[in-house]
Amino acid sequence: MPPGPEDNLPAERFRSTIALLSITTVAGVGLGYPLTGLITEGFGYHGSFWFGALVSAAALVSAALVVPRSRHLACRRFDVVGAVLFGAVLAGLLLVLSKGGSWGWTSPALLGLLAASLACLAVWIVYELRIGPPLVDLRKLRNRVVLTADVIGLAAGIGMYLLLSLVTRLAQAPVGAGHGFGASVVVTGMILLPFSVGSLLAGRAVPLVAGRLSWRLTLPLSCGVVLVSMLLFALSRSGLWELFLVTGVAGVGVGCVFALVPGLIVNSVAAQEVGSAMGFNQVLRYVGFSTEAR
């Protein structure tokens, strides 16, 4: 049998490990909020941003030192032009969303930036379809499973941060406003801890559930759990404890979704395309996060 992508793991652990790595992104959200809340209270907002920068730098150095090279995949030229074009597209579109309210949605500057971003997107698509190897193999989107996984990643990113943003705003809103709880930054961060716990537990349970029900049923059910958390938030906001319940249920749903998506991609592309396909899916998630934040 030719070597597969599982260079450093047994084949039976490969999918579960990929799923766990995907879940850590979600779990980090719930753990990061209370930690940055403590740092913000002690050192201000600038301190929390510097802390994030240091953690990111430490992760980069650790990856460079610890993660080994593949023993069977040949090194390929990095698509610098494609990366620059794609970065310009994302920066332009997110700037349009963030400045629409202040510039005016019909202002010439905003419309010009939107047109330039869409033109850059068209150039990027044509370039990626012609170059080899591309930054993102867009032809893989013809695969319905890969396309579904990418759409779900984008939608889940938007939905997850939309809910968490509303929860934190409600928790910190003044009591006198008639709908808030006046919680501190630290308490607001603690409200998101059940989100991390729920996502981690879901990540452990998904292989067992999917093994019995198949991913075709497990994935819609997971999305349904996320919907239930949003309904709970819409209907039950009389006590602070209800916000803990909402984030816990949301964590279970989002954790299941993000644990299932990597397996769909891994099973639908060739070994040498796993990195590119997973990377593009991760980017779409963060596009969803950033889109909601605007």
Side-chain angles (χ1 to χ4, degrees):
M1 178 180 296
E6 57 277 0
D7 276 344
N8 302 285
L9 286 171
E12 64 273 11
R13 292 183 54 195
F14 180 64
R15 287 189 60 184
S16 61
T17 302
I18 292 291
L20 180 60
L21 291 174
S22 181
I23 290 298
T24 56
T25 303
V26 184
V29 172
L31 296 175
Y33 268 93
L35 182 58
T36 53
L38 289 171
I39 295 173
T40 299
E41 287 198 347
F43 302 96
Y45 285 101
H46 289 88
S48 61
F49 280 105
W50 278 111
F51 174 76
L54 290 174
V55 170
S56 299
L60 179 61
V61 172
S62 299
L65 295 176
V66 176
V67 177
R69 290 180 177 271
S70 173
R71 294 194 297 267
H72 73 281
L73 296 180
C75 292
R76 301 190 300 176
R77 180 182 61 84
F78 180 67
D79 181 11
V80 177
V81 176
V84 172
L85 286 173
F86 190 53
V89 170
L90 293 181
L93 292 178
L94 292 177
L95 189 59
V96 167
L97 291 174
S98 64
K99 295 298 184 181
S102 56
W103 290 4
W105 292 105
T106 58
S107 66
L110 191 77
L111 294 177
L113 180 60
L114 176 61
S117 300
L118 294 177
C120 193
L121 176 61
V123 172
W124 177 73
I125 292 174
V126 173
Y127 180 81
E128 291 297 289
L129 290 174
R130 292 183 176 180
I131 193 175
L135 177 71
V136 178
D137 189 354
L138 296 176
R139 292 181 178 84
K140 296 299 181 184
L141 296 181
R142 297 174 182 172
N143 185 316
R144 289 191 303 171
V145 176
V146 175
L147 179 60
T148 299
D150 287 340
V151 172
I152 289 176
L154 177 63
I158 295 175
M160 183 183 84
Y161 261 82
L162 176 62
L163 178 61
L164 297 186
S165 176
L166 290 174
V167 167
T168 55
R169 291 177 185 179
L170 177 64
Q172 291 185 293
V175 177
H179 60 271
F181 297 98
S184 66
V185 176
V186 176
V187 173
T188 302
M190 296 293 291
I191 292 174
L192 300 185
L193 280 178
F195 183 84
S196 291
V197 175
S199 63
L200 288 174
L201 293 177
R204 304 291 292 183
V206 157
L208 299 176
V209 177
R212 293 178 177 272
L213 301 179
S214 83
W215 70 267
R216 292 181 181 274
L217 182 58
T218 307
L219 188 55
L221 287 176
S222 302
C223 295
V225 174
V226 178
L227 179 60
V228 167
S229 70
M230 293 182 175
L231 291 175
L232 286 174
F233 178 72
L235 300 175
S236 303
R237 302 196 303 266
S238 58
L240 198 61
W241 68 270
E242 292 173 322
L243 299 185
F244 283 87
L245 175 62
V246 166
T247 59
V249 175
V252 171
V254 174
C256 287
V257 171
F258 283 168
L260 287 165
V261 165
L264 302 183
I265 295 175
V266 169
N267 287 339
S268 302
V269 300
Q272 62 269 23
E273 298 294 338
V274 169
S276 175
M278 284 298 303
F280 186 59
N281 184 264
Q282 289 283 353
V283 168
L284 287 179
R285 291 189 199 182
Y286 286 103
V287 169
F289 299 164
S290 302
T291 300
E292 187 283 322
R294 306 300 146 191

